[in-house]
Amino acid sequence: MKLKALFLAATLAAGALSLPAHAADTRLIRFGYGLNQDSNQGRAVQVFADEVAKLSGGKMKVRAIGAAALGSDIQMQQALIGGAQEMMVGSTATLVGITPEMALWDTPFLFNSGAEADQVLDGKTGQQIMDKLGDKGLVGLVYWENGFRNLTNSKKPVQSAEDFKGLKLRVMQNNVFLDTFQRLGANAVPLPFSELFTALETKTVDGQENPYNTILSSKFYEVQKYLSVTNHVYSPWIVTASKKWWDGLSADERGILMQAAKVSRDFERKDTRAEADKALAQLKADGMQVNTVSADQVQQMRGTIAPVNEQIKQAVGPELWQAVQDQLKEIRAKS
Ligand code: TK8
């Protein structure tokens, strides 16, 4: 009996060493994301997966796992740092606890357009901030567009800065967002995105803020009546890899991932912008009542939350803050 067991163990060990070549050679990449498969995020992850397969001749295989099945943004970040998961895409806002400089992207009303965001994120400062992830066990590859965020809730149309008062709003797990909405008088509750639909459905919170694309793909229109166009902040997503894992890849493999990431980025921004244009009409058709917050009231909001800028400047350091202000000035002078 004992001998038989030993023999079995030896056979199994030998078998493990002589796995078929194709299985042993294939690199499996678990790529997690928070939104549904049928979303701008899901579509772009698929483009990344296809591109990696193509460029590697099938030797690298991306397994795309959406709908936060691998956990919230923060849980996945920890899995990447520990080496238990290879890649993910999520909000830069959820990385602020790890890399405080990411808070720069949470500055309310920082960018006026997607084109401005692209230039800053893909430019020197965007890269500098991305590189800071290296000390924390993560590798940043590219920024994708999440988009301009707008407010939804189940209570009332938000027309003015005053209307935020008393609303129980879910915010991302990040002090800038918490502080911004508290200053506006809302009762801000930090929650992971993966718990948001249920929190809205059970009325644990009255509202939330996200781009049109996400309000649509996450079906928030089923549990939210009012959509108020505030465009209060542009939100990027960032594609990251586990540094532990990345450091063990060949230069060729890293090159393939980088190239595929850029292809996915270009696809994602186009796809997201095209969808955003149509999503608002779709949300109306799905029964949402939409109002635009007037320029005057937006100005009022900006005034109320202005102290948040000083806080961000402190957190990211005055050099990075100034670098972005200078670049934006330059971009705006040219346009
Ligand atoms: C998805 C999130 C989402 C973000 C949020 O995992 O949490 O509201 O906008 O895109 O990262």
Side-chain angles (χ1 to χ4, degrees):
M1 192 65 193
K2 220 175 169 186
L3 229 144
K4 214 173 165 186
L6 232 143
F7 178 74
L8 190 70
T11 319
L12 282 174
L17 289 175
S18 60
L19 276 175
H22 68 269
D25 285 358
T26 306
R27 245 189 219 288
L28 182 67
I29 303 163
R30 283 158 298 183
F31 191 121
Y33 61 97
L35 268 61
N36 292 324
Q37 197 179 340
D38 184 13
S39 68
N40 55 337
Q41 200 175 48
R43 288 189 293 274
V45 175
Q46 195 51 50
V47 166
F48 176 74
D50 292 346
E51 198 63 22
V52 169
K54 190 179 94 190
L55 294 172
S56 68
K59 288 202 167 171
M60 300 171 87
K61 191 175 160 24
V62 175
R63 184 182 292 161
I65 307 161
L70 292 180
S72 67
D73 282 10
I74 287 178
Q75 286 167 331
M76 289 195 285
Q77 289 156 15
Q78 293 307 322
L80 260 59
I81 292 168
Q85 181 183 327
E86 290 74 31
M87 294 187 73
M88 67 171 286
V89 63
S91 263
T92 54
T94 53
L95 277 168
V96 169
I98 293 175
T99 299
E101 291 83 358
M102 287 285 169
L104 191 48
W105 312 132
D106 300 330
T107 308
F109 303 104
L110 181 65
F111 299 130
N112 292 334
S113 66
E116 282 188 6
D118 293 354
Q119 289 178 73
V120 174
L121 291 165
D122 299 345
K124 207 174 124 204
T125 311
Q127 188 62 47
Q128 238 176 309
I129 293 179
M130 194 142 75
D131 289 346
K132 294 202 181 282
L133 293 170
D135 304 335
K136 305 293 166 74
L138 295 168
V139 177
L141 280 84
V142 286
Y143 295 100
W144 287 359
E145 171 157 303
N146 186 352
F148 284 97
R149 302 179 80 89
N150 290 297
L151 185 78
T152 69
N153 82 96
S154 56
K155 287 256 154 100
K156 60 181 180 194
V158 171
Q159 321 254 23
S160 67
E162 283 289 303
D163 287 339
F164 282 87
K165 294 220 165 87
L167 273 183
K168 202 163 177 193
L169 290 183
R170 173 270 180 177
V171 292
M172 288 193 279
Q173 293 161 292
N174 163 313
N175 281 338
V176 176
F177 276 86
L178 187 64
D179 198 38
T180 301
F181 286 96
Q182 275 174 346
R183 278 181 192 280
L184 287 165
N187 178 359
V189 186
L191 272 182
F193 183 80
S194 46
E195 291 171 25
L196 181 50
F197 186 90
T198 305
L200 294 170
E201 191 178 34
T202 57
K203 301 221 157 46
T204 305
V205 292
D206 302 321
Q208 64 87 44
E209 38 85 55
N210 253 300
Y212 299 144
N213 308 60
T214 299
I215 300 169
L216 186 62
S217 65
S218 295
K219 300 194 185 332
F220 291 160
Y221 56 83
E222 289 181 355
V223 287
Q224 299 277 272
K225 179 75 186 160
Y226 304 102
L227 169 54
S228 304
V229 180
T230 47
N231 289 312
H232 51 274
V233 68
Y234 176 93
S235 212
W237 280 324
I238 185 168
V239 175
T240 50
S242 157
K243 186 158 192 302
K244 239 186 193 173
W245 169 74
W246 181 266
D247 287 348
L249 298 177
S250 70
D252 270 2
E253 288 174 316
R254 283 186 221 146
I256 285 170
L257 293 174
M258 224 21 246
Q259 197 182 327
K262 284 185 179 154
V263 170
S264 73
R265 173 192 67 197
D266 296 346
F267 165 84
E268 196 272 346
R269 286 178 180 163
K270 247 194 226 149
D271 179 53
T272 298
R273 285 163 197 173
E275 186 188 43
D277 289 342
K278 289 180 271 175
L280 185 58
Q282 187 56 50
L283 290 169
K284 283 182 191 164
D286 288 329
M288 289 197 92
Q289 191 180 311
V290 179
N291 72 281
T292 303
V293 180
S294 73
D296 267 8
Q297 285 303 322
V298 168
Q299 207 46 44
Q300 188 98 22
M301 275 176 71
R302 290 179 84 131
T304 309
I305 60 185
V308 172
N309 288 355
E310 199 47 47
Q311 213 178 299
I312 297 172
K313 196 170 159 183
Q314 296 277 325
V316 307
E319 292 84 10
L320 280 174
W321 176 268
Q322 200 49 48
V324 168
Q325 296 302 323
D326 291 348
Q327 194 184 353
L328 283 172
K329 214 187 250 173
E330 218 175 280
I331 294 169
R332 285 169 193 166
K334 270 190 230 152
S335 62

